[in-house]
Amino acid sequence: MGQVDIAGSIPAIHYAKGLVVTAGVKYMNFLAPLFVGYLVTLYAEVSHVGRHSITVDVDVWVQRDFEKPIVLNVANSRLVFVAVDDQGKARALPEKTWFVGCALRTNEFIF
């Protein structure tokens, strides 16, 4: 779940052009088990923007069996981030931005 939070924060930080904090997790669906040795890929994109908050959807995919690769969607989540100033207080997001979305890919082996 920590990797999902990190992956989700990256497009939120880009959109907010500054610091964000995790306000909540709307849902976290575990669709299949994740085992040691799988190659994990997380995709995150902004799905909704409010006055102070940014909602980000994160999908978790794994590749198993490197001889006969099988790729599975093992989890998905929706997180809400809030833009904050240097004192940690909520701040308004930029009014107009041309940032539409961001798909992030983070690969790592789980050992």
Side-chain angles (χ1 to χ4, degrees), residues 63-75:
Q63 178 183 332
R64 64 179 187 193
D65 193 1
F66 291 102
E67 291 178 15
K68 294 179 184 176
I70 298 171
V71 178
L72 299 170
N73 183 358
V74 296

Side-chain angles (χ1 to χ4, degrees), residues 70-90:
I70 298 171
V71 178
L72 299 170
N73 183 358
V74 296
N76 56 48
S77 182
R78 178 167 286 169
L79 300 99
V80 178
F81 297 89
V82 173
V84 294
D85 60 18
D86 293 335
Q87 286 76 40
K89 305 234 182 206

Side-chain angles (χ1 to χ4, degrees), residues 41-63:
T41 305
L42 294 100
Y43 295 95
E45 70 179 323
V46 173
S47 62
H48 180 74
V49 177
R51 186 162 180 259
H52 298 97
S53 65
I54 303 165
T55 302
V56 177
D57 291 337
V58 180
D59 287 320
V60 181
W61 291 78
V62 297
Q63 178 183 332

Side-chain angles (χ1 to χ4, degrees), residues 13 17-18 37 43 66 84 94 97 109:
I13 290 167
K17 296 182 174 68
Y43 295 95
F66 291 102
V84 294
T97 181
F109 286 100

